[in-house]
Amino acid sequence: MPQTQTLDDIRVDFDAPPNVPQDRKVDLNFAMGTIPNDLVDPYEPCEWLNGPEIPRLLYNRAAQGGLGAISGSGRQGNWVVTHYEDIERVYSDNEHFSNAGTAEFQRLIGETFKSIPLAIDPPDHSKYRLFLFPFFSPSRITRVLEPRIREVCVEMIEAIADKGEVDMAWDFGRVFPVRIFMGLMGFPPPMFEQFLAWEWDILHSGSLEKMQAALRGVLEFLRGFIAEKEKTPDEHLVSSIVHGQIEGRPLTADEKIGMVWFLWLGGLDTVAATIAQMYRRMALQPDLQRRIREHPEIINSAVEEFLRTQPILSSARSAKMDFEWHGIQVKAGDSFSCLNPSGNFDPARFENPREFDPERKANRHFTFVGGVHICLGAHLARRELRVLLEEWFKRIPEFRVKPGADTSVFPGLLSIRNLPLVWDVA
C-alpha cells in the first residue's frame, strides 16, 4: 500500500461531536492493523504520525462495519493519541481515563459480567490483579512453568528439525503458546481447535452472527468447566480461581466467569502473532538472525526489541470527566485509542527508533500496554519467546522464507496466517 505522508492526505469530513475541531477529523483506519503490507518493518506506514508537526489529538472516523457498528454503540469516532508522552498519560492517568467496558464482547449476547481485571478501574482493580498476579509472577514462571515451556518447545522443534521446513505461523506459532496456556489453565487438550475457531470468530470474523455463536459456545463451555472444577478441584489455574478468596470471601459467579473468560480471550493468539512476526523478520533479515544465533547472551534484549517493533495491539480508554487537553475540550465518555505502532517508534523516546537494535537499553515500550492495566501475562509471554529462541538456535540452522511464499503481514493482531520457512538439513 502507498505510505501516507501528510496530514492533509488523511483529513476527512464527517459528522462528529461538537467538541471535535474540523481540522482534527481524520481517517486513521489504515494504521489499525487491518491492511496488509509486505514491508520488512510492517509498522512503517505509521512512522510519520508521531512527528512534531502532528496535532497531539486526532479524531478518527469510526471504521465502517467495525465492532462499534456491530455492537450498536453508535460512536461516530474516537480520539487517537500517537505520541509516546500522550499514550503514557492515557495508560497511567486513572483519574481522567477509564478502562471500563474494554474487550467486553460478551455484551453482544446480553451478558452483564465484567472482563476481570481488564475492565475494572482502580481502586477495585488492584484486588483482582493482586489475586491473579502470583500465578503469573516471574518467580512462579521460573519455578513451575518454565520446565513445561521448555519441554513443549524442544518437543515441537525436534519434530520438525529433520524435515527442513515448517509453517512457522500455522503449525508452530499458533500451537506452541496455546499448548502452554491450556496446560496452565487445566483445559482439556481436545478443545484446542475449537478454542481457536471460537476465538477467530470473536476477534476476526467481523460477522455479528458468528461472534454471537462463538460467544455462546465458549461461555457455555467455560461455565460448565467452572462447575466441574467446583466439584473436582485440581492444581490448575481455573480451579485456583474457582476456589480462591478475595478479601476473605469466596468469589461470586460473575467474578469467576469474568476472570476465566478474560484469561481465555487473552491467552490464545497474542503470543502466536508475535512469534509469526518475529520469525518473519529474522527470515527476511538473515544478518539479524545470525547475530542473535552467534550471541545468545542478547536473546533477552532481542525479545524486548521484537516486542517494541511488533506492537500488535492498540489499547482503548474512555474519558471519565470533562477536561481540557492540548487545547481540546474533552467530554466525559469520549473514547481514546492509543496508537502503539506510533508511540513505540517515537524519536522523542527511542534513539533511531526504526532501527532494530537487539541490544537496545531502557526499552520501555507499550506492546504490553502500561499503567495498572499492563498485561498480566507479560512475564509469561517474554519467557515463552526467550525459551523459543534459545532452543530453536540450538537445533535449527539458518532459515529463510520458502521460495514463492507470500510474506504479506497484517501489522496487528491478525498478523500472518501462514509463514513457510525452510532450512538445509545436514
Coordinates of all heavy atoms in Angstrom, one line a residue, residues 153-230:
C153 N 8.5 -26.8 23.9 CA 9.3 -26.1 22.9 C 10.3 -27.1 22.2 O 10.3 -27.2 21.0 CB 10.0 -25.0 23.5 SG 10.8 -23.9 22.3
V154 N 11.0 -27.8 23.0 CA 12.0 -28.8 22.5 C 11.3 -29.9 21.7 O 11.7 -30.3 20.6 CB 12.9 -29.4 23.6 CG1 13.7 -30.5 23.1 CG2 13.7 -28.3 24.2
E155 N 10.2 -30.4 22.2 CA 9.5 -31.4 21.5 C 9.0 -31.0 20.2 O 9.2 -31.7 19.2 CB 8.3 -31.8 22.4 CG 7.3 -32.8 21.7 CD 5.9 -32.7 22.3 OE1 5.8 -32.7 23.6 OE2 4.9 -32.7 21.5
M156 N 8.5 -29.8 20.1 CA 8.0 -29.3 18.8 C 9.1 -29.0 17.8 O 9.0 -29.2 16.6 CB 7.1 -28.0 19.0 CG 5.8 -28.3 19.8 SD 4.8 -26.8 19.9 CE 4.4 -26.5 18.2
I157 N 10.2 -28.4 18.3 CA 11.3 -28.1 17.4 C 12.0 -29.4 16.9 O 12.3 -29.6 15.7 CB 12.4 -27.3 18.1 CG1 11.8 -25.9 18.5 CG2 13.6 -27.1 17.2 CD1 12.7 -25.1 19.4
E158 N 12.2 -30.4 17.8 CA 12.8 -31.7 17.3 C 11.9 -32.4 16.4 O 12.4 -33.2 15.5 CB 13.2 -32.5 18.6 CG 14.3 -31.9 19.4 CD 14.8 -32.8 20.5 OE1 14.1 -33.7 20.9 OE2 15.9 -32.5 21.0
A159 N 10.6 -32.2 16.4 CA 9.7 -32.9 15.5 C 9.8 -32.4 14.1 O 9.4 -33.0 13.1 CB 8.3 -32.7 16.0
I160 N 10.4 -31.1 13.9 CA 10.5 -30.6 12.6 C 11.9 -30.4 12.1 O 12.2 -30.2 10.9 CB 9.8 -29.2 12.5 CG1 10.5 -28.2 13.5 CG2 8.3 -29.3 12.8 CD1 10.0 -26.8 13.4
A161 N 12.9 -30.6 13.0 CA 14.3 -30.3 12.6 C 14.8 -31.0 11.4 O 15.4 -30.4 10.5 CB 15.2 -30.6 13.8
D162 N 14.5 -32.3 11.3 CA 15.0 -33.1 10.2 C 14.1 -33.0 8.9 O 14.5 -33.5 7.9 CB 15.0 -34.6 10.6 CG 16.1 -34.8 11.6 OD1 17.0 -34.0 11.7 OD2 16.0 -35.8 12.4
K163 N 13.0 -32.2 9.0 CA 12.1 -32.1 7.9 C 12.6 -30.9 7.0 O 12.3 -30.9 5.8 CB 10.7 -31.8 8.3 CG 10.1 -33.0 9.0 CD 8.6 -32.6 9.5 CE 8.0 -33.8 10.2 NZ 6.6 -33.5 10.7
G164 N 13.3 -30.0 7.6 CA 13.8 -28.9 6.8 C 12.8 -27.8 6.5 O 13.1 -26.9 5.7
E165 N 11.6 -27.9 7.0 CA 10.6 -26.8 6.8 C 9.5 -26.9 7.8 O 9.3 -27.9 8.4 CB 10.1 -26.9 5.3 CG 9.2 -28.1 5.0 CD 8.6 -28.0 3.6 OE1 7.8 -27.2 3.4 OE2 9.1 -28.8 2.8
V166 N 8.9 -25.7 7.9 CA 7.7 -25.7 8.8 C 6.9 -24.4 8.5 O 7.5 -23.4 8.0 CB 8.1 -25.6 10.3 CG1 8.8 -24.3 10.6 CG2 6.9 -25.8 11.2
D167 N 5.6 -24.5 8.6 CA 4.8 -23.3 8.6 C 4.8 -22.7 9.9 O 4.1 -23.1 10.9 CB 3.3 -23.6 8.2 CG 2.5 -22.4 8.0 OD1 2.8 -21.3 8.6 OD2 1.5 -22.4 7.2
M168 N 5.7 -21.7 10.1 CA 6.0 -21.2 11.4 C 4.8 -20.5 12.1 O 4.7 -20.4 13.3 CB 7.2 -20.2 11.4 CG 7.8 -19.9 12.7 SD 8.5 -21.4 13.4 CE 8.8 -20.9 15.1
A169 N 3.9 -19.9 11.2 CA 2.7 -19.3 11.8 C 1.7 -20.3 12.2 O 1.2 -20.3 13.3 CB 2.2 -18.2 10.8
W170 N 1.3 -21.1 11.2 CA 0.1 -22.0 11.5 C 0.5 -23.2 12.3 O -0.2 -23.6 13.2 CB -0.4 -22.5 10.1 CG -1.7 -23.3 10.3 CD1 -1.8 -24.7 10.2 CD2 -3.0 -22.8 10.5 NE1 -3.0 -25.1 10.4 CE2 -3.8 -24.0 10.6 CE3 -3.6 -21.6 10.6 CZ2 -5.2 -23.9 10.8 CZ3 -4.9 -21.5 10.8 CH2 -5.7 -22.6 10.9
D171 N 1.6 -23.9 12.0 CA 1.9 -25.2 12.7 C 2.8 -25.0 13.9 O 2.9 -26.0 14.7 CB 2.6 -26.1 11.7 CG 1.7 -26.6 10.5 OD1 0.5 -26.7 10.8 OD2 2.2 -26.7 9.4
F172 N 3.4 -23.8 14.1 CA 4.2 -23.7 15.3 C 3.7 -22.5 16.2 O 3.3 -22.7 17.3 CB 5.7 -23.5 14.9 CG 6.6 -23.8 16.0 CD1 7.4 -24.9 16.0 CD2 6.8 -22.9 17.1 CE1 8.3 -25.3 17.1 CE2 7.6 -23.2 18.2 CZ 8.4 -24.4 18.1
G173 N 3.8 -21.3 15.6 CA 3.4 -20.1 16.4 C 2.0 -20.2 16.9 O 1.7 -19.8 18.1
R174 N 1.1 -20.8 16.1 CA -0.3 -20.9 16.5 C -0.5 -22.0 17.6 O -1.5 -21.9 18.4 CB -1.2 -21.3 15.3 CG -2.7 -21.3 15.5 CD -3.3 -21.7 14.2 NE -3.1 -23.2 13.9 CZ -4.0 -24.1 14.1 NH1 -5.2 -23.8 14.6 NH2 -3.8 -25.4 13.9
V175 N 0.4 -22.9 17.7 CA 0.2 -24.1 18.6 C 1.0 -23.9 19.9 O 0.5 -24.2 21.0 CB 0.7 -25.4 17.9 CG1 0.6 -26.6 18.8 CG2 -0.1 -25.6 16.6
F176 N 2.3 -23.6 19.8 CA 3.2 -23.6 21.0 C 2.6 -22.8 22.2 O 2.5 -23.4 23.3 CB 4.6 -23.1 20.6 CG 5.5 -22.7 21.7 CD1 5.8 -23.6 22.7 CD2 6.1 -21.4 21.7 CE1 6.6 -23.3 23.7 CE2 7.0 -21.1 22.7 CZ 7.2 -22.0 23.7
P177 N 2.3 -21.5 22.1 CA 1.8 -20.8 23.3 C 0.5 -21.3 23.8 O 0.2 -21.2 25.0 CB 1.8 -19.3 22.8 CG 1.7 -19.4 21.4 CD 2.4 -20.6 20.9
V178 N -0.3 -21.8 22.9 CA -1.7 -22.2 23.3 C -1.6 -23.5 24.1 O -2.4 -23.7 25.0 CB -2.6 -22.3 22.1 CG1 -4.0 -22.8 22.5 CG2 -2.7 -21.0 21.4
R179 N -0.7 -24.4 23.7 CA -0.4 -25.6 24.5 C 0.0 -25.2 25.9 O -0.5 -25.8 26.9 CB 0.6 -26.5 23.8 CG 0.1 -27.2 22.6 CD 1.2 -28.2 22.1 NE 1.6 -29.2 23.1 CZ 2.6 -30.1 22.8 NH1 3.2 -30.1 21.7 NH2 2.9 -31.0 23.7
I180 N 0.8 -24.2 26.0 CA 1.3 -23.8 27.4 C 0.1 -23.2 28.1 O -0.1 -23.5 29.3 CB 2.4 -22.7 27.3 CG1 3.6 -23.3 26.5 CG2 2.8 -22.2 28.7 CD1 4.2 -24.5 27.1
F181 N -0.7 -22.4 27.5 CA -1.8 -21.7 28.1 C -2.9 -22.7 28.6 O -3.4 -22.7 29.7 CB -2.4 -20.7 27.1 CG -3.8 -20.2 27.6 CD1 -3.9 -19.3 28.6 CD2 -5.0 -20.6 26.9 CE1 -5.1 -18.8 29.0 CE2 -6.2 -20.2 27.3 CZ -6.3 -19.3 28.4
M182 N -3.2 -23.7 27.7 CA -4.2 -24.7 28.1 C -3.7 -25.6 29.2 O -4.5 -25.9 30.1 CB -4.5 -25.6 26.9 CG -5.3 -24.8 25.8 SD -5.8 -25.8 24.4 CE -7.2 -26.7 25.1
G183 N -2.4 -25.9 29.3 CA -1.9 -26.6 30.4 C -2.0 -25.8 31.7 O -2.3 -26.3 32.8
L184 N -1.6 -24.5 31.6 CA -1.7 -23.6 32.8 C -3.1 -23.6 33.3 O -3.3 -23.6 34.6 CB -1.3 -22.2 32.4 CG -1.5 -21.1 33.3 CD1 -0.7 -21.2 34.6 CD2 -1.2 -19.7 32.7
M185 N -4.1 -23.4 32.5 CA -5.5 -23.3 32.9 C -6.1 -24.6 33.3 O -7.1 -24.6 34.1 CB -6.3 -22.6 31.8 CG -5.9 -21.3 31.4 SD -6.2 -20.0 32.6 CE -8.0 -19.7 32.4
G186 N -5.6 -25.7 32.8 CA -6.2 -27.0 33.0 C -7.2 -27.4 32.0 O -8.0 -28.4 32.3
F187 N -7.3 -26.7 30.9 CA -8.3 -27.1 29.9 C -7.9 -28.4 29.2 O -6.8 -28.7 29.0 CB -8.4 -25.9 28.8 CG -9.0 -24.7 29.3 CD1 -8.4 -23.4 29.0 CD2 -10.1 -24.7 30.1 CE1 -9.0 -22.2 29.4 CE2 -10.7 -23.5 30.5 CZ -10.1 -22.3 30.2
P188 N -8.9 -29.1 28.7 CA -8.7 -30.4 28.0 C -8.0 -30.2 26.7 O -8.6 -29.4 25.9 CB -10.1 -31.1 27.9 CG -11.0 -29.9 28.1 CD -10.4 -28.9 29.0
P189 N -6.9 -30.9 26.3 CA -6.3 -30.7 25.1 C -7.2 -30.9 23.8 O -7.0 -30.1 22.8 CB -5.1 -31.7 25.1 CG -4.8 -31.9 26.6 CD -6.2 -31.8 27.2
P190 N -8.2 -31.8 23.8 CA -9.0 -31.9 22.7 C -9.8 -30.6 22.3 O -10.3 -30.6 21.2 CB -10.0 -33.0 23.0 CG -9.2 -33.8 24.1 CD -8.5 -32.8 24.9
M191 N -9.9 -29.6 23.2 CA -10.6 -28.4 22.9 C -9.7 -27.4 22.1 O -10.2 -26.3 21.7 CB -11.0 -27.7 24.2 CG -12.1 -28.5 24.9 SD -13.6 -28.7 23.9 CE -14.2 -27.0 23.7
F192 N -8.5 -27.8 21.8 CA -7.6 -26.9 21.1 C -8.2 -26.2 19.9 O -8.2 -25.0 19.8 CB -6.3 -27.6 20.8 CG -5.2 -26.8 20.1 CD1 -4.3 -26.1 20.8 CD2 -5.2 -26.7 18.7 CE1 -3.3 -25.3 20.1 CE2 -4.3 -26.0 18.0 CZ -3.3 -25.3 18.7
E193 N -8.5 -27.0 18.9 CA -9.0 -26.4 17.6 C -10.3 -25.7 17.8 O -10.6 -24.6 17.2 CB -9.2 -27.5 16.6 CG -7.9 -28.2 16.1 CD -7.0 -27.2 15.3 OE1 -7.5 -26.1 14.9 OE2 -5.8 -27.5 15.1
Q194 N -11.2 -26.2 18.7 CA -12.5 -25.5 18.9 C -12.2 -24.1 19.6 O -12.9 -23.1 19.2 CB -13.4 -26.3 19.8 CG -14.7 -25.7 20.1 CD -15.6 -25.5 18.9 OE1 -16.1 -26.4 18.4 NE2 -15.7 -24.2 18.4
F195 N -11.3 -24.0 20.5 CA -11.0 -22.8 21.1 C -10.5 -21.8 20.1 O -10.9 -20.6 20.1 CB -9.9 -23.0 22.2 CG -10.3 -23.4 23.5 CD1 -11.7 -23.8 23.7 CD2 -9.5 -23.5 24.6 CE1 -12.1 -24.2 25.0 CE2 -9.9 -23.9 25.8 CZ -11.2 -24.3 26.0
L196 N -9.6 -22.2 19.2 CA -9.1 -21.3 18.2 C -10.1 -20.8 17.2 O -10.1 -19.7 16.7 CB -7.9 -21.9 17.5 CG -6.6 -22.0 18.4 CD1 -5.5 -22.7 17.6 CD2 -6.1 -20.7 18.9
A197 N -11.0 -21.7 16.9 CA -12.1 -21.4 16.0 C -13.1 -20.4 16.6 O -13.5 -19.4 16.0 CB -12.9 -22.7 15.6
W198 N -13.4 -20.6 17.9 CA -14.2 -19.6 18.6 C -13.5 -18.2 18.7 O -14.1 -17.2 18.4 CB -14.5 -20.1 20.0 CG -15.6 -21.1 20.1 CD1 -16.7 -21.2 19.3 CD2 -15.8 -22.1 21.1 NE1 -17.5 -22.2 19.7 CE2 -17.0 -22.8 20.8 CE3 -15.1 -22.4 22.3 CZ2 -17.5 -23.8 21.7 CZ3 -15.5 -23.5 23.1 CH2 -16.7 -24.2 22.8
E199 N -12.3 -18.3 19.0 CA -11.5 -17.0 19.2 C -11.4 -16.3 17.9 O -11.6 -15.0 17.8 CB -10.1 -17.3 19.7 CG -9.3 -16.2 20.0 CD -8.4 -15.8 18.9 OE1 -8.3 -16.6 17.9 OE2 -7.7 -14.8 18.9
W200 N -11.2 -17.0 16.8 CA -11.1 -16.3 15.4 C -12.5 -15.7 15.1 O -12.5 -14.5 14.6 CB -10.8 -17.4 14.4 CG -10.7 -16.8 13.0 CD1 -11.8 -16.7 12.1 CD2 -9.6 -16.2 12.4 NE1 -11.3 -16.1 11.0 CE2 -10.0 -15.7 11.1 CE3 -8.3 -15.9 12.8 CZ2 -9.2 -15.1 10.2 CZ3 -7.5 -15.3 11.9 CH2 -7.9 -14.8 10.7
D201 N -13.6 -16.3 15.3 CA -14.9 -15.8 15.0 C -15.2 -14.5 15.9 O -15.8 -13.6 15.4 CB -16.0 -16.8 15.2 CG -16.1 -17.8 14.1 OD1 -15.4 -17.5 13.0 OD2 -16.7 -18.8 14.2
I202 N -14.7 -14.5 17.2 CA -15.0 -13.4 18.0 C -14.1 -12.2 17.6 O -14.6 -11.1 17.6 CB -14.7 -13.8 19.5 CG1 -15.7 -14.8 20.0 CG2 -14.8 -12.5 20.4 CD1 -15.4 -15.5 21.3
L203 N -12.9 -12.4 17.4 CA -12.0 -11.3 17.2 C -11.8 -10.9 15.7 O -11.5 -9.7 15.4 CB -10.6 -11.6 17.7 CG -10.5 -11.7 19.3 CD1 -9.0 -12.0 19.7 CD2 -11.0 -10.5 20.0
H204 N -12.0 -11.8 14.8 CA -11.5 -11.5 13.4 C -12.6 -11.7 12.3 O -12.4 -11.3 11.2 CB -10.3 -12.4 13.0 CG -9.2 -12.3 14.0 ND1 -8.6 -11.1 14.3 CD2 -8.5 -13.2 14.7 CE1 -7.6 -11.3 15.2 NE2 -7.5 -12.6 15.4
S205 N -13.8 -12.3 12.7 CA -14.7 -12.6 11.6 C -15.4 -11.3 11.1 O -15.8 -11.2 9.9 CB -15.8 -13.6 12.1 OG -16.7 -13.0 13.0
G206 N -15.7 -10.4 12.0 CA -16.5 -9.2 11.6 C -17.9 -9.5 11.4 O -18.7 -8.6 10.9
S207 N -18.4 -10.7 11.7 CA -19.7 -11.1 11.5 C -20.4 -11.2 12.8 O -20.0 -11.9 13.7 CB -19.8 -12.4 10.8 OG -21.1 -13.1 11.0
L208 N -21.5 -10.4 13.0 CA -22.2 -10.4 14.3 C -22.8 -11.8 14.6 O -22.7 -12.3 15.7 CB -23.4 -9.4 14.2 CG -24.3 -9.4 15.5 CD1 -23.5 -9.0 16.7 CD2 -25.4 -8.4 15.3
E209 N -23.3 -12.5 13.6 CA -23.8 -13.8 13.8 C -22.8 -14.8 14.2 O -23.0 -15.6 15.2 CB -24.5 -14.3 12.5 CG -25.2 -15.7 12.6 CD -25.8 -16.1 11.3 OE1 -25.8 -15.3 10.3 OE2 -26.4 -17.2 11.2
K210 N -21.6 -14.8 13.6 CA -20.5 -15.7 14.0 C -20.0 -15.3 15.4 O -19.7 -16.2 16.2 CB -19.4 -15.6 13.0 CG -19.7 -16.3 11.7 CD -18.5 -16.2 10.7 CE -18.8 -16.9 9.4 NZ -17.7 -16.9 8.5
M211 N -19.9 -14.0 15.7 CA -19.4 -13.6 17.0 C -20.3 -14.1 18.1 O -19.9 -14.6 19.1 CB -19.3 -12.1 17.0 CG -18.2 -11.5 16.2 SD -18.2 -9.7 16.1 CE -17.4 -9.3 17.7
Q212 N -21.6 -13.9 17.9 CA -22.6 -14.3 18.9 C -22.6 -15.8 19.1 O -22.7 -16.3 20.2 CB -24.0 -13.8 18.5 CG -24.1 -12.3 18.6 CD -25.5 -11.8 18.1 OE1 -26.0 -12.3 17.2 NE2 -26.0 -10.8 18.8
A213 N -22.5 -16.6 18.0 CA -22.5 -18.0 18.1 C -21.3 -18.5 18.9 O -21.3 -19.4 19.7 CB -22.6 -18.7 16.7
A214 N -20.1 -17.9 18.6 CA -18.9 -18.3 19.2 C -18.9 -17.9 20.7 O -18.5 -18.7 21.6 CB -17.7 -17.6 18.5
L215 N -19.4 -16.7 21.0 CA -19.5 -16.3 22.4 C -20.4 -17.2 23.2 O -20.1 -17.6 24.3 CB -20.1 -14.9 22.5 CG -19.1 -13.8 22.1 CD1 -19.8 -12.5 21.8 CD2 -18.1 -13.5 23.2
R216 N -21.6 -17.6 22.6 CA -22.4 -18.6 23.3 C -21.7 -19.9 23.6 O -21.8 -20.5 24.6 CB -23.7 -18.8 22.5 CG -24.6 -17.5 22.5 CD -26.0 -17.8 21.9 NE -26.8 -16.6 21.8 CZ -26.9 -15.9 20.7 NH1 -26.3 -16.3 19.6 NH2 -27.7 -14.8 20.7
G217 N -21.0 -20.3 22.5 CA -20.3 -21.6 22.7 C -19.2 -21.6 23.7 O -19.2 -22.5 24.6
V218 N -18.4 -20.6 23.7 CA -17.3 -20.6 24.7 C -17.8 -20.3 26.1 O -17.3 -20.9 27.0 CB -16.2 -19.6 24.2 CG1 -16.7 -18.1 24.3 CG2 -14.9 -19.7 25.1
L219 N -18.7 -19.5 26.3 CA -19.2 -19.2 27.6 C -20.0 -20.4 28.2 O -19.9 -20.6 29.4 CB -20.1 -17.9 27.6 CG -19.3 -16.6 27.4 CD1 -20.2 -15.4 27.3 CD2 -18.2 -16.4 28.5
E220 N -20.7 -21.1 27.3 CA -21.3 -22.3 27.8 C -20.3 -23.3 28.3 O -20.4 -24.0 29.3 CB -22.2 -23.0 26.7 CG -22.9 -24.2 27.2 CD -23.7 -24.9 26.0 OE1 -23.7 -24.4 24.9 OE2 -24.4 -25.9 26.3
F221 N -19.2 -23.5 27.5 CA -18.1 -24.4 27.9 C -17.4 -23.9 29.2 O -17.2 -24.7 30.1 CB -17.1 -24.5 26.8 CG -15.8 -25.2 27.2 CD1 -15.8 -26.6 27.2 CD2 -14.7 -24.6 27.8 CE1 -14.7 -27.3 27.7 CE2 -13.6 -25.2 28.2 CZ -13.6 -26.6 28.2
L222 N -17.1 -22.6 29.3 CA -16.4 -22.2 30.4 C -17.2 -22.3 31.7 O -16.7 -22.7 32.8 CB -15.9 -20.7 30.2 CG -14.9 -20.4 29.1 CD1 -14.6 -19.0 29.0 CD2 -13.6 -21.2 29.4
R223 N -18.5 -22.0 31.6 CA -19.3 -22.1 32.8 C -19.4 -23.6 33.2 O -19.4 -23.9 34.4 CB -20.7 -21.5 32.5 CG -20.7 -20.0 32.6 CD -22.1 -19.5 32.6 NE -22.1 -18.0 32.9 CZ -22.4 -17.1 32.1 NH1 -22.7 -17.3 30.8 NH2 -22.4 -15.8 32.5
G224 N -19.5 -24.5 32.2 CA -19.5 -25.9 32.6 C -18.2 -26.4 33.2 O -18.2 -27.2 34.1
F225 N -17.1 -25.8 32.7 CA -15.8 -26.2 33.2 C -15.6 -25.7 34.6 O -15.1 -26.4 35.5 CB -14.7 -25.6 32.2 CG -13.4 -26.2 32.5 CD1 -13.0 -27.5 32.1 CD2 -12.4 -25.4 33.1 CE1 -11.8 -28.0 32.3 CE2 -11.1 -25.9 33.4 CZ -10.8 -27.2 33.0
I226 N -16.1 -24.5 34.8 CA -16.0 -23.9 36.2 C -16.8 -24.8 37.2 O -16.4 -25.1 38.3 CB -16.6 -22.5 36.2 CG1 -15.5 -21.5 35.5 CG2 -16.9 -22.0 37.6 CD1 -16.1 -20.1 35.3
A227 N -18.0 -25.2 36.8 CA -18.9 -26.1 37.6 C -18.2 -27.4 37.9 O -18.2 -27.9 39.0 CB -20.2 -26.3 36.9
E228 N -17.5 -27.9 36.9 CA -16.8 -29.2 37.1 C -15.6 -29.0 38.1 O -15.4 -29.9 39.0 CB -16.2 -29.6 35.7 CG -15.4 -30.9 35.7 CD -14.8 -31.2 34.4 OE1 -15.4 -30.9 33.4 OE2 -13.6 -31.6 34.3
K229 N -14.9 -27.9 38.0 CA -13.8 -27.6 39.0 C -14.3 -27.3 40.4 O -13.6 -27.5 41.4 CB -12.9 -26.5 38.5 CG -12.2 -26.9 37.2 CD -11.4 -28.1 37.3 CE -11.2 -28.9 36.0 NZ -10.7 -30.2 36.2
E230 N -15.5 -26.8 40.5 CA -16.1 -26.6 41.8 C -16.3 -27.9 42.5 O -16.1 -28.0 43.7 CB -17.4 -25.8 41.7 CG -17.2 -24.4 41.3 CD -18.6 -23.6 41.0 OE1 -19.6 -24.3 40.7 OE2 -18.6 -22.4 41.1

